[in-house]
Amino acid sequence: MHGKARRAGNSSAVEAGGRAGFVARGVIYFLVGILALRIAFSDGGQQADRGGALAEIAQKPFGSVLLWVLGIALAGMALWRLSEAAFGAAGPDGRKATKRLASAGRAVFYAFVSYSVLLFAAGDRGSGSGSGDAQSKDITAQALDMPGGRWLVGAVGAVIAGAGLWIAGRAALRKFHKHLRMGEMSPAVRRAVDVTGVFGGISRGVVFAVAGGFAVAAAVKARSGEAKGMDDTLRSFSTTPAGPWLLALIAVGLAAFGLFSCANARYRRI
């Protein structure tokens, strides 16, 4: 029985689901980057987060069909991550407990994202396109009202900030090489993967780190309004001395991460 389960976890269907999931993630990040770029050089605009990306897709021809495809692809990503948690990931250290636990966490995350996208595709527009900023503030307010809530919010913020720095650091060190079949790439493709992987990964990590910093600030000041979702976090870059140019740089980086994620669909070891 266990052997059959392992073969199912290593099946071509699970592999296809994982690769489709990388494309879906790439599409969402690319659109978030484009939306953030619009915000950098104009007032207002669509929310630069997953909800904004879904709303943007819904407005296009065959947008509803594409939303269903994205939701199903993200479910495939969740299934692949679940198989990694159950049987271990590709690579010599893929069966380590820490790796499998991380895969389990990613499986839960992508299952939630898939569920929200599918709900949005089914017509529940509040499920996917609601403001991530408002949701972040609501959740933070509820947490702050709990006993020890400030410590809880601060700890979560510190974890998110630390994860962002970890993501950025691994991207800068090109740790993604060990997960990709680099030998199958032409020199031009390899350079493109390196540029998008490093630039995109660092940009993504910076966004996570800054969002985590805002959560820590909310805990210190005991004010839920200090917490920010992705959209408000991105907009905060335009209030720095660099003005909209820093936001534009981060926006291009997120779009680059979207392209890098699509490259993972082709070259990832699964």
Side-chain angles (χ1 to χ4, degrees), residues 86-103:
F87 309 115
D93 60 347
R95 299 188 67 182
K96 286 184 178 179
T98 52
K99 296 284 187 182
R100 294 170 74 162
L101 184 60
S103 291

Side-chain angles (χ1 to χ4, degrees), residues 8-22 76 79-80 83 181 265-266 268-270:
N10 294 329
S11 70
S12 58
V14 171
E15 177 181 344
R19 297 194 187 284
F22 277 114
L79 181 61
W80 168 56
S83 74
R181 300 191 300 271
R266 168 67 175 83
R268 180 84 178 202
R269 299 181 190 277
I270 295 181

Side-chain angles (χ1 to χ4, degrees), residues 103-178:
S103 291
R106 292 186 179 106
V108 172
F109 172 76
Y110 283 112
F112 170 77
V113 174
S114 171
Y115 177 70
S116 68
V117 173
L118 290 173
L119 278 181
F120 186 86
D124 185 359
R125 294 303 190 240
S127 64
S129 62
S131 170
D133 302 312
Q135 292 171 4
S136 296
K137 289 178 174 58
D138 289 344
I139 293 172
T140 302
Q142 293 172 12
L144 288 174
D145 287 338
M146 297 169 57
R150 292 177 67 178
W151 289 101
L152 176 62
V153 172
V156 171
V159 168
I160 294 173
L165 295 175
W166 181 77
I167 290 170
R170 286 178 63 84
L173 295 173
R174 294 176 170 82
K175 292 291 187 179
F176 52 82
H177 278 192
K178 67 180 181 179

Side-chain angles (χ1 to χ4, degrees), residues 5-257:
R6 176 176 290 277
R7 286 194 295 273
N10 294 329
S11 70
S12 58
V14 171
E15 177 181 344
R19 297 194 187 284
F22 277 114
V23 174
R25 186 183 72 172
V27 168
I28 291 173
Y29 265 100
F30 184 81
L31 287 177
V32 169
I34 296 301
L35 293 171
L37 195 60
R38 290 182 191 172
I39 291 171
F41 297 109
S42 64
D43 294 329
Q46 187 71 268
Q47 291 278 119
D49 55 15
R50 184 174 68 246
L54 297 182
E56 185 77 5
I57 292 171
Q59 296 170 7
K60 305 301 181 185
F62 305 105
S64 180
V65 174
L66 182 55
L67 287 173
W68 281 104
V69 171
L70 288 177
I72 293 170
L74 289 167
M77 172 73 92
L79 181 61
W80 168 56
R81 289 299 191 183
L82 183 61
S83 74
E84 284 191 331
F87 309 115
D93 60 347
R95 299 188 67 182
K96 286 184 178 179
T98 52
K99 296 284 187 182
R100 294 170 74 162
L101 184 60
S103 291
R106 292 186 179 106
V108 172
F109 172 76
Y110 283 112
F112 170 77
V113 174
S114 171
Y115 177 70
S116 68
V117 173
L118 290 173
L119 278 181
F120 186 86
D124 185 359
R125 294 303 190 240
S127 64
S129 62
S131 170
D133 302 312
Q135 292 171 4
S136 296
K137 289 178 174 58
D138 289 344
I139 293 172
T140 302
Q142 293 172 12
L144 288 174
D145 287 338
M146 297 169 57
R150 292 177 67 178
W151 289 101
L152 176 62
V153 172
V156 171
V159 168
I160 294 173
L165 295 175
W166 181 77
I167 290 170
R170 286 178 63 84
L173 295 173
R174 294 176 170 82
K175 292 291 187 179
F176 52 82
H177 278 192
K178 67 180 181 179
H179 297 298
L180 301 176
R181 300 191 300 271
M182 303 298 291
E184 296 182 11
M185 302 178 191
S186 67
V189 170
R190 186 185 179 106
R191 285 193 296 271
V193 167
D194 272 344
V195 170
T196 56
V198 173
F199 181 32
I202 290 175
S203 299
R204 179 177 178 236
V206 167
V207 172
F208 272 76
V210 173
F214 282 128
V216 172
V220 171
K221 299 177 182 179
R223 292 207 303 264
S224 61
E226 296 291 330
K228 299 182 186 298
M230 176 172 278
D231 180 70
D232 273 352
T233 298
L234 287 170
R235 290 174 190 268
S236 71
F237 289 110
S238 64
T239 64
T240 65
W245 295 104
L246 180 57
L247 173 56
L249 181 66
I250 296 295
V252 173
L254 293 179
F257 182 79

